[in-house]
Amino acid sequence: MNQELLHTLKEIMPQITGYIYPNEIEVHWGLLIVVYPYITGIVAGAFILASLVKVFNVKEVQPLYRLSLLTALSYLLVAPLPLLSHLGHPERCFEMFLTPQPSSAMAMFGFVYAWYLMAVLLIEIWFVYRVDMIVWAEGGSGPMKWIHKVLSLFSRDRSESAVTFDHKALKTITIIGIPSAFLLHGYVGFIFGSVKANPWWSSVLMPIAFLFSAIVSGVALVILLYMVITPLTGGKINMKCVDKAVDFLFYAVIVDFTLEFVDFIHRIYQSEEEIKILSEMVMSKLFMSLVIIQVLLGMILPLGIIGATKIFKRRFTLNEDLRKMLYFISVLLIQFGIFTMRWNVVIGGQMFSKSFRGLTTYKMEVTGIEGLLYTLVLLCLPLVILTVLMKILPPWKEMREEDKSLEGGTPGSLPAPGA
């Protein structure tokens, strides 16, 4: 027998409880499959936040519009990498387009991904930046001038009719993009919810719970990035914008929490044969990640903090710095909560035996393609891409306009393209 496998079994066996089948000793879907729905969820959530401006005309969150789109694009470019890395032969991914399999949900993801990237996000970003790229190309120099020329497809039309057409196209694409974003992430919940053989996953609420957790993670991350990046680039945080975005986040967390609580109550009410082993798993293997981090720290505590700022609104309005700090802590906790939610679904669903009489354990690797280091690289990669995108396509236009209106005509000091 393989010596490495023997070594792994030697470490895992003492942590196995009860009776499990031999093929259930090792957890086959590891960290990469945890990261996969986490990243796709951020894409959907960031786009939904951007759509609040163009479709629902929420003017207060206008400063977050461009940052939301660039965040969605950064994470979308990385979204398929965890799945392709896990499958082992990423160079074969194009075959799903050559031999489409409508019965395979994961194969259909390729088409949904291509549609969302090529027909929604890239086109919307192009229309948002078209006029700005023309201006930057005309006033720029060196490589950045040519980058903006190429990205604008050598367009020079800045007429009123062209700008009007851009605005109409933007609204149409955003309306089309909302169901596309739902489809992009809803299918992940659909995959887990469709596995009838696994009672931890098999729930009709799973796709809806994944959708709302996606909205929560995307909105929270954009707020977090805005609160970190804006001071670093010399700008001033627009608290009116953050307050409004946190309002939407607050209600999304409530819906997400309610859905997961209803699912939990439903499982208890049904009390089918698997309820005993699932309860044992929650109270032993998943107690820290599910009860402490996901529910208490990732949901209830942020809800309590944000709720306190609403109940004692007058007091917190007077202390802006305290409000910023509480918001920052809340969105950070929510990110940890959503990531552990993905962990509990993916890893938790593989920890109990189909005999309903035993529990296995998960041994995290540090190196290797399924290891912690590679996972951290994948989680950091979207931030690197976002940094490059912000150099080429600065998202500060609306923020400058806000600063200008607040300071009575004094332009903001946020950086120009390439700065």
Side-chain angles (χ1 to χ4, degrees):
M1 185 178 286
N2 185 291
Q3 290 298 317
E4 187 179 349
L5 179 60
L6 278 174
H7 180 70
T8 303
L9 290 176
K10 189 177 178 181
E11 290 185 350
I12 290 177
M13 289 301 284
Q15 300 179 50
I16 293 175
T17 58
Y19 173 82
I20 66 171
Y21 297 119
N23 64 338
E24 295 171 336
I25 292 175
E26 193 177 0
V27 170
H28 300 286
W29 286 4
L31 264 178
L32 290 181
I33 303 301
V34 176
V35 171
Y36 172 56
Y38 174 71
I39 290 181
T40 55
I42 286 175
V43 175
F47 187 84
I48 297 300
L49 180 60
S51 69
L52 291 175
V53 178
K54 291 298 172 189
V55 178
F56 302 103
N57 203 28
V58 183
K59 295 295 183 186
E60 291 90 341
V61 295
Q62 179 76 39
L64 298 178
Y65 175 62
R66 295 188 181 209
L67 181 61
S68 301
L69 288 178
L70 295 183
T71 303
L73 178 59
S74 306
Y75 278 82
L76 186 66
L77 292 174
V78 181
L81 294 184
L83 184 58
L84 292 177
S85 302
H86 173 78
L87 293 175
H89 287 282
E91 75 279 4
R92 297 181 185 171
C93 64
F94 69 93
E95 291 182 8
M96 71 173 70
F97 299 106
L98 301 178
T99 56
Q101 294 292 330
S103 60
S104 169
M106 282 196 177
M108 286 299 100
F109 167 73
F111 291 93
V112 175
Y113 175 84
W115 161 263
Y116 190 73
L117 176 65
M118 307 299 291
V120 176
L121 204 49
L122 286 180
I123 294 179
E124 178 163 353
I125 290 175
W126 189 81
F127 275 113
V128 169
Y129 281 97
R130 190 186 69 83
V131 174
D132 293 326
M133 286 190 292
I134 294 172
V135 174
W136 293 333
E138 290 174 351
S141 61
M144 198 60 75
K145 176 187 177 75
W146 284 100
I147 288 174
H148 288 133
K149 269 192 174 182
V150 172
L151 290 178
S152 65
L153 304 179
F154 298 95
S155 171
R156 293 182 178 178
D157 192 354
R158 289 196 282 161
S159 63
E160 189 177 341
S161 59
V163 173
T164 304
F165 177 80
D166 288 351
H167 290 163
K168 287 181 180 177
L170 272 176
K171 190 165 184 177
T172 304
I173 295 168
T174 308
I175 292 172
I176 295 171
I178 293 174
S180 302
F182 277 33
L183 190 61
L184 180 73
H185 191 68
Y187 105 97
V188 181
F190 169 81
I191 288 177
F192 287 109
S194 301
V195 183
K196 295 179 181 177
N198 191 318
W200 185 247
W201 292 339
S202 180
S203 168
V204 291
L205 289 176
M206 188 66 81
I208 306 172
F210 262 70
L211 275 176
F212 274 93
S213 62
I215 294 172
V216 168
S217 64
V219 174
L221 184 68
V222 173
I223 295 172
L224 182 66
L225 290 173
Y226 175 72
M227 296 183 75
V228 171
I229 294 172
T230 303
L232 291 177
T233 52
K236 182 181 178 183
I237 294 175
N238 183 333
M239 286 309 293
K240 190 177 175 183
C241 165
V242 176
D243 285 335
K244 196 68 179 179
V246 168
D247 281 349
F248 285 107
L249 177 64
F250 180 67
Y251 298 124
V253 174
I254 289 177
V255 175
D256 184 35
F257 178 75
T258 306
L259 283 170
E260 293 188 29
F261 186 67
V262 168
D263 185 45
F264 174 71
I265 295 294
H266 184 245
R267 290 175 189 275
I268 293 178
Y269 182 74
Q270 280 186 314
S271 293
E272 294 187 354
E273 56 183 344
E274 72 274 4
I275 192 67
K276 186 177 177 183
I277 191 68
L278 293 182
S279 302
E280 186 180 337
M281 181 178 71
V282 169
M283 298 311 294
S284 57
K285 301 286 184 181
L286 298 182
F287 183 78
M288 179 58 73
S289 61
L290 197 152
V291 178
I292 302 297
I293 301 179
Q294 181 186 335
V295 178
L296 292 180
L297 296 180
M299 281 189 177
I300 294 178
L301 184 57
L303 277 177
I305 292 173
I306 299 173
T309 62
K310 291 183 175 301
I311 294 170
F312 305 103
K313 192 173 182 179
R314 183 176 296 178
R315 181 172 299 179
F316 282 102
T317 302
L318 297 174
N319 195 335
E320 195 172 276
D321 289 337
L322 177 61
R323 206 159 81 251
K324 280 182 195 171
M325 186 185 71
L326 292 177
Y327 287 163
F328 185 83
I329 293 171
S330 299
V331 294
L332 203 57
L333 288 173
I334 286 171
Q335 283 304 312
F336 282 113
I338 296 298
F339 187 83
T340 52
M341 181 265 190
R342 310 306 193 211
W343 170 282
N344 294 323
V345 170
V346 176
I347 303 296
Q350 303 169 80
M351 278 189 169
F352 66 94
S353 170
K354 300 300 180 297
S355 67
F356 301 144
R357 293 168 59 191
L359 296 171
T360 186
T361 191
Y362 173 63
K363 181 181 179 296
M364 185 191 300
E365 299 174 2
V366 177
T367 57
I369 203 71
E370 297 275 352
L372 177 63
L373 293 179
Y374 183 67
T375 303
L376 291 175
V377 169
L378 288 180
L379 288 173
C380 293
L381 188 56
L383 299 176
V384 175
I385 295 173
L386 179 62
T387 304
V388 175
L389 286 176
M390 288 195 301
K391 290 284 184 185
I392 300 172
L393 304 171
W396 318 118
K397 184 177 180 180
E398 287 80 6
M399 300 179 196
R400 280 178 169 170
E401 289 172 354
E402 289 290 332
D403 285 351
K404 192 175 177 179
S405 62
L406 288 173
E407 296 170 12
T410 305
S413 57
L414 291 166

